Amino acid sequence: MSEETRQHIIRTGADIIHRNGFNNTGIMEILKASGVPKGSFYYYFESKEAFGVEVARYFADHFAEQVAHIMNDAGIAPVDRLKMFFGYFKKYFESEGWSRGCPIGNLAQEMGDLSEKLQAELAMIFERMGRSLAAVIAEGQQQGQIAEDLDPYDTAVFIISAWHGAIVQMKVRKSSQPLDIFEKSIFESFLQK
Amino acid sequence: MSEETRQHIIRTGADIIHRNGFNNTGIMEILKASGVPKGSFYYYFESKEAFGVEVARYFADHFAEQVAHIMNDAGIAPVDRLKMFFGYFKKYFESEGWSRGCPIGNLAQEMGDLSEKLQAELAMIFERMGRSLAAVIAEGQQQGQIAEDLDPYDTAVFIISAWHGAIVQMKVRKSSQPLDIFEKSIFESFLQK
């Protein structure tokens, strides 16, 4: 019983939950896929809810890491960083046949009313996402690339909403169309004006 | 066994699913809440999946009916109709303590990858929603209220995305903030320019 095993269970469970949903994924299924003995779940996690919080943290950290090299590269123009950020995930969704969606958005929708712990954790994750995007937007304004009359934080919250909703439409339309329209609307219109 | 009972089971199930999610709601729970004898579910519905399709249709029809008097009133300026449309649902979400979210968005996120029948039905519902909003946007353009360079259909798809994502953020932030920012961004900025 080790921290390594604990992390392995989180990663394995996160992948199944990303594919099938939180309520639709059983603890036994996660343990079986992890190759961990039955009954050891509660040694590592207090409850399925506590496990869900760990999964949400894992996803947030994992995705933030994947795009950190883009978001923190002061050598790339702020608007291009935003384009690369959304482009990175679009490529991922394409590789998955326009399925799965954003695991943070999925958990928010599915568990926002059912678990106060998950709700609070996800609210923090959305807030961090908003602050992080707002910083790049403010940079873009300073460099004259983004309309000055937009509030950076509100604009970030709005863009995150528009992106998550586009991902949900992508998931049922099974095409890039909602994401293409999102990019066009944000970059050719909303941020420009 | 009547069509009335069938509709009663759909309405009752729809309410529970809207609150707790599709995978998290059992057939027994729906029958119990409906006051319908155990075992009669499969008399009315082929499967839980087929029931889900009925629930999605019920929600789409139910919400379309609720806002039809707004959306079809040529006496109200197109932009005001859009504001009233989103205002109507915001009031509803407020009355629910910023919970539940949009049942169509919820089902799309939860079932988009798990059921081809639900995915196809929800894609049609999103498409109808888009066409309906696009018509009002085009009217607004003809009346000079909405920027002419926007494509009405793409703008409708984008607004629906931004709204659904705002509803997801609302659900974890438990506040009107994402919806307020959505309205401000769309009406004071995006459609104006």
Side-chain angles (χ1 to χ4, degrees):
Chain A
M1 307 227 170
S2 66
E3 179 56 25
E4 204 181 312
T5 306
R6 194 172 167 275
Q7 290 301 325
H8 172 65
I9 301 171
I10 293 171
R11 279 196 307 274
T12 307
D15 184 60
I16 303 174
I17 288 168
H18 194 186
R19 202 179 291 276
N20 295 331
F22 187 78
N23 288 314
N24 197 35
T25 301
I27 288 172
M28 290 307 294
E29 187 185 356
I30 295 167
L31 289 177
K32 206 178 161 192
S34 305
V36 167
K38 232 164 84 159
S40 62
F41 186 85
Y42 293 102
Y43 174 83
Y44 292 107
F45 309 100
E46 204 184 301
S47 59
K48 194 184 170 194
E49 186 184 31
F51 177 71
V53 171
E54 296 294 332
V55 165
R57 279 180 195 152
Y58 163 75
F59 278 127
D61 294 347
H62 179 63
F63 290 119
E65 261 171 44
Q66 284 182 295
V67 291
H69 68 284
I70 299 168
M71 295 300 267
N72 302 329
D73 189 340
I76 307 170
V79 163
D80 292 333
R81 270 183 267 159
L82 294 177
K83 283 181 186 170
M84 288 165 76
F85 174 92
F86 294 113
Y88 177 88
F89 289 110
K90 189 164 144 184
K91 225 169 180 174
Y92 166 73
F93 290 130
E94 185 168 21
S95 76
E96 293 285 342
W98 314 115
S99 72
R100 289 195 174 216
C102 171
I104 299 300
N106 293 353
L107 283 171
Q109 185 286 112
E110 203 182 349
M111 299 306 294
D113 293 344
L114 302 180
S115 154
E116 274 186 32
K117 279 179 193 164
L118 263 165
Q119 175 244 312
E121 186 68 32
L122 292 160
M124 277 197 300
I125 291 170
F126 270 106
E127 182 62 15
R128 275 209 306 276
M129 224 190 292
R131 299 274 167 213
S132 156
L133 229 60
V136 182
I137 291 165
E139 264 189 80
Q141 289 177 315
Q142 281 150 21
Q143 297 185 21
Q145 293 188 317
I146 291 173
E148 274 186 16
D149 61 328
L150 297 171
D151 176 82
Y153 176 75
D154 288 0
T155 299
V157 170
F158 175 69
I159 291 177
I160 291 165
S161 288
W163 185 45
H164 274 96
I167 292 167
V168 170
Q169 286 202 59
M170 167 203 90
K171 211 166 160 177
V172 290
R173 290 175 183 263
K174 294 293 173 215
S175 95
S176 69
Q177 180 230 43
L179 295 177
D180 296 336
I181 290 174
F182 159 78
E183 288 174 5
K184 190 186 77 164
S185 302
I186 292 297
F187 292 110
E188 293 177 26
S189 191
F190 186 68
L191 292 178
Q192 290 292 328
K193 293 153 166 189
Chain B
M1 306 229 171
S2 65
E3 179 57 24
E4 204 181 313
T5 306
R6 193 171 168 275
Q7 291 302 324
H8 172 65
I9 300 172
I10 292 171
R11 279 196 307 275
T12 307
D15 184 61
I16 302 173
I17 288 167
H18 194 187
R19 203 179 290 276
N20 295 332
F22 187 78
N23 288 313
N24 197 34
T25 301
I27 288 172
M28 291 306 294
E29 187 185 355
I30 295 167
L31 289 176
K32 207 180 160 191
S34 306
V36 167
K38 234 165 83 160
S40 63
F41 186 85
Y42 293 101
Y43 174 84
Y44 292 107
F45 309 100
E46 203 184 302
S47 60
K48 194 184 170 193
E49 186 184 31
F51 177 72
V53 171
E54 296 294 333
V55 164
R57 280 181 194 151
Y58 162 76
F59 278 128
D61 294 347
H62 179 63
F63 289 121
E65 263 172 42
Q66 284 183 296
V67 291
H69 68 284
I70 299 168
M71 294 301 266
N72 302 329
D73 189 340
I76 307 171
V79 164
D80 291 333
R81 270 183 267 160
L82 295 177
K83 284 182 187 170
M84 287 165 77
F85 174 93
F86 294 113
Y88 176 89
F89 289 109
K90 189 163 145 185
K91 224 169 179 175
Y92 166 74
F93 291 130
E94 185 169 20
S95 76
E96 294 284 342
W98 313 116
S99 73
R100 289 193 173 217
C102 171
I104 300 300
N106 293 354
L107 283 171
Q109 185 286 111
E110 203 182 350
M111 300 305 294
D113 292 345
L114 302 181
S115 154
E116 274 185 32
K117 279 181 191 161
L118 263 165
Q119 175 245 313
E121 185 69 33
L122 291 161
M124 277 197 301
I125 291 170
F126 270 107
E127 182 60 15
R128 275 209 307 275
M129 224 190 295
R131 299 275 166 212
S132 156
L133 229 60
V136 182
I137 291 165
E139 264 189 79
Q141 289 177 315
Q142 280 150 21
Q143 298 185 21
Q145 292 188 317
I146 291 172
E148 274 185 16
D149 60 329
L150 297 171
D151 176 81
Y153 176 75
D154 288 359
T155 299
V157 170
F158 176 69
I159 290 178
I160 291 166
S161 288
W163 186 45
H164 274 97
I167 292 167
V168 170
Q169 286 202 59
M170 167 203 89
K171 211 167 158 176
V172 289
R173 291 175 183 262
K174 294 292 174 215
S175 95
S176 69
Q177 181 230 42
L179 296 177
D180 296 336
I181 290 174
F182 159 78
E183 287 175 4
K184 190 186 78 164
S185 302
I186 293 297
F187 292 110
E188 293 176 26
S189 191
F190 186 68
L191 293 178
Q192 289 292 328
K193 293 153 167 185

